[in-house]
Amino acid sequence: MSNPSCGMIAKIKKIVCVFLSVAMLMTACSCAKTSAKKTTDDDLKKFIEKQEVTLADQETSNNDKASSYYSLGNAALTLDKTHKVSVRYVPLGDPVFLELKDTEGNVWRLDIPENALPYAETISMQLAGDISTDMVSGQLNAGVVLQPEGLQFIIPATLSITGPKASTDKSFVFFGDQSGKYLNFAAKKAETDKLSVEVAHFSSYILYTPVSEGEFQQAAEMAAESYKEAVKEAKAFLKTPISAPPVPPDYTFMCKDEDGENASEVRNRALDMYIENVVQPEKDLIIKLLASGREVALLDQNQEAFYYAGLLQLRNIKKADKLIASYKNDVDKLIPVMNASLKILKEAQTLGVDISIQPYLDTFSDWMVRAADKKIKEIREEHNYKAMGPAVSLIQSALIFTSDFQVSQDFSRKYLQKLKDAMTFTVNYDVSLHSGIANQRMTLKGKVELSWLDENDEKVFTGKGEGEYVSYSNSSPNTTRIDYPNKYPVNMKFVNFSPCDSKTVDVQVDTIGAQTEVWYNLELDQKSSDEYSFVNFMAEQLFQDYKQEDGNYLFQVPFTNNNAVMGSENFTKTASISYPEEGSASGSIAYTIEIKHTPK
């Protein structure tokens, strides 16, 4: 079933566990990344903790603030139209990669891990050459531009460079915006013949390998100056009021592309932009601190980047707390607030910030429950069957986030039963037959209750019911007739029914009439059972187009959402039939199905 946001919730339940584990691992290893000098500034920390965060009056952007801070300079990029590669990323699928070779023989490779994004996206990498700048005296080697611009990863991708210009730890990697502006050092990892950079959001990346000691010293001095400016900016910025986080956009849980083709991708891009606005300008300052701090550490100079980065991230945690407190009763704000908060918390753990994640997960779990209740109400009262997929995903995700196992089990049973009760249907059917042999006419009717059966398979709906014979007539009224009501069992199933994807409700029926019919002889006043079912014989002869190899019948009923009658259709067939004893004669059958929503 294509779930909403599909986005968004069904994928998050696995992804959040992955990236929190990664964050904890990274925290344990963070001290080895730099030769950080232990620094404390209790006054700054207390100032942050005491601040009251307000909310913006409208959806605003902080992107303009980022560019006002210190940068190394700009570069002019010339994109190579003949060297661009793309790949389609699918959540919970295999990792993907992109690869390009520049004119100097360096191979640029972007590796995107599983769970990097909670939605599908087309990702591109384009080579940039003829790079000019007055930032350094040497020649910048080459670069790449990653698209779509501003794409936010939950689990970072890795950009690696191998080749003749990446064979030394004296190489530098710069990053900037898509046009090459606002360049700063990227936090690189140097290996033999390989440089690698973590990519959390998309921008441009440029390789610079000085060819002389003078050029290297110039770059080293730039790193020291960049770090000095970053610390200065951070200290000054930490004393300012925390900017109001923008109002989160509504993110309604719905089926993929329910609002039109590519609608889900448009919504997810908007979600990326919102998260970026929440974490700015602290995020850019953190990146500059860590990147320039690493370059300084590689030159065996003391630095304190992680400490000030952690204080900056505390400000973003305050923003997340304000968003949660303000919107936790608004289910349409859940996804923007939760995604922004989880990203902030994950990065806080990476920076070594001492913070407990579980209270946040419990809050989001309760929030998801309220969202699930809303979806179940839509199913029951508005007959919005497409709300089933979102409801299932919300319930499952809430279970993942809950800390108490026993509570989660009780919750699971309760809510899955509520959903099953909401997704219950009654199939009413009518059958009418006519045979040219003795001008026989017969009618039947039946009713079957179906409900969602298996929480592990959202497409399984089964039910049992009963049919009965209603009338019978022929051209010899004093002869044998069917014995009423001649009731018989009927089994039905909705085959692969997904409200988000299906255009029809495929109704599988095991029998049209009774397997054994009871007849009554008026003259002898006797009843007799006949295993030769006249109704089933007629159905087998006339409904061959609906007959399956396993003996069941399959009827496709047009699916209608937001209607108490989810579907209805009449199936008829008239043809000449070869009867076992009487020879050939005309025959006709009509089978009418009505699927009515009957929540319990």
Side-chain angles (χ1 to χ4, degrees), residues 522-538:
L522 297 173
E523 294 180 349
L524 299 178
D525 191 26
Q526 291 182 344
K527 295 181 181 182
S528 61
S529 298
D530 190 349
E531 294 186 358
Y532 163 77
S533 172
F534 180 70
V535 172
N536 285 339
F537 167 76
M538 293 280 288

Side-chain angles (χ1 to χ4, degrees), residues 296-313:
V296 169
L298 291 173
L299 297 172
D300 294 325
Q301 299 179 29
N302 288 330
Q303 53 84 34
E304 46 203 10
F306 264 83
Y307 174 75
Y308 287 111
L311 291 181
L312 288 166
Q313 196 65 6

Side-chain angles (χ1 to χ4, degrees), residues 19-20 22-28 30 33 154 279 283 286 290 306-318 320-321 340-357 360:
F19 81 58
L20 289 178
V22 171
M24 292 174 189
L25 178 62
M26 292 176 69
T27 301
S30 64
K33 294 181 179 180
I154 294 177
V279 300
K283 176 184 173 182
I286 291 171
L290 296 182
F306 264 83
Y307 174 75
Y308 287 111
L311 291 181
L312 288 166
Q313 196 65 6
L314 280 176
R315 292 169 59 96
N316 279 335
I317 292 174
K318 294 279 286 187
D321 290 343
S341 300
L342 291 177
K343 183 176 180 65
I344 289 168
L345 294 169
K346 172 254 181 181
E347 291 175 355
Q349 284 195 323
T350 302
L351 293 169
V353 177
D354 183 16
I355 187 168
S356 175
I357 299 295
Y360 290 90

Side-chain angles (χ1 to χ4, degrees), residues 98-100 102 106-109 125 142-144 160-161 205 207:
L98 295 168
E99 198 170 82
L100 285 171
D102 64 32
N106 303 300
V107 176
W108 297 70
R109 176 179 170 122
M125 180 168 68
V144 293
S160 60
I161 313 164
Y205 290 84
L207 173 65

